[in-house]
Amino acid sequence: MNFGFVFFFNSILLGVGLAMDAFSVSMANGLNEPQMGQGRMCAIAGVFAGFQALMPMVGWICVHTVVRYFQAFERYIPWIALILLGFIGGKMLVEAVRHPEADGEHVGVGLGALLVQGVATSIDALSVGFTIADYNALMALICALIIAAVTFVICMAGLFIGRKFGTKLANRAQLLGGSILIVIGIEIFLTGVLGA
């Protein structure tokens, strides 16, 4: 494999495919925090992009070093995503039910929750390390950076959409955002378990 049109096209497609969960979670974050500023939006999209770049590289390294251990871990990926997103989404739902009167007082996602979201939405990208196993280190790195760039753009779009609707939905946005996270966790789980 060399640097050509097919390489870049495949990397962009990988980025689009991997970014869909992060896009949905970004929408949920935008719904939950409709007053979010541009800097914060870039930071959130940057976290998702960073994890989406990191995970394929970790997978690539695993393929070239400790394949047996990675294959044993791979079956737990859907469970981890379900637990992490279910926990964060459930927490958002509980907050929305406990404080329904907090109209317009949206609390943004904290750093800890954002990192958990980043891991949960990108953990399946570890498997991409297998699909790019024939790449050399430079090609794998460039592929990961393309995936990160695509993820960043898609997550920014998700944040813009979520923020726009979050303003219109007022206090129901947190309920919707939490529900979206739980549904994404279930979707990742079912896809991973039924696809195995």
Side-chain angles (χ1 to χ4, degrees):
M1 176 71 81
N2 56 8
F3 292 107
F5 173 77
V6 173
F7 169 80
F8 290 104
F9 185 70
N10 286 347
S11 298
I12 290 168
L13 287 181
L14 275 173
V16 171
L18 291 173
M20 288 301 104
D21 291 333
F23 168 77
S24 301
V25 173
S26 295
M27 264 188 16
N29 288 340
L31 281 167
N32 192 43
E33 193 179 345
Q35 309 308 323
M36 186 185 305
Q38 294 286 336
R40 183 156 166 75
M41 290 172 70
C42 287
I44 289 172
V47 167
F48 288 121
F51 276 107
Q52 291 290 8
L54 177 66
M55 293 299 186
M57 285 306 298
V58 170
W60 183 87
I61 291 167
C62 288
V63 166
H64 291 277
T65 55
V66 289
V67 176
R68 293 190 316 272
Y69 302 114
F70 179 70
Q71 286 173 334
F73 169 77
E74 194 174 22
R75 67 179 158 181
Y76 298 111
I77 289 174
W79 290 94
I80 293 168
L82 175 67
I83 290 166
L84 294 177
L85 289 175
F87 174 75
I88 296 169
K91 191 173 168 192
M92 285 173 69
L93 289 176
V94 168
E95 283 298 310
V97 171
R98 278 191 186 158
H99 307 290
E101 71 286 346
D103 191 11
E105 295 178 21
H106 298 275
V107 179
V109 64
L111 179 61
L114 181 59
L115 293 176
V116 170
Q117 288 177 355
V119 170
T121 58
S122 67
I123 197 164
D124 58 335
L126 278 169
S127 303
V128 171
F130 285 121
T131 66
I132 63 172
D134 59 335
Y135 290 1
N136 63 37
L138 179 61
M139 291 178 76
L141 178 62
I142 290 172
C143 178
L145 292 175
I146 291 170
I147 289 169
V150 170
T151 300
F152 183 85
V153 170
I154 288 174
C155 287
M156 285 296 285
L159 287 163
F160 273 112
I161 292 167
R163 197 175 69 167
K164 184 170 180 66
F165 286 102
T167 304
K168 294 178 179 175
L169 292 172
N171 63 338
R172 292 184 299 277
Q174 194 170 17
L175 281 170
L176 183 59
S179 301
I180 288 171
L181 293 183
I182 292 170
V183 168
I184 294 167
I186 292 168
E187 183 268 327
I188 292 172
F189 175 75
L190 291 176
T191 303
V193 170
L194 298 178

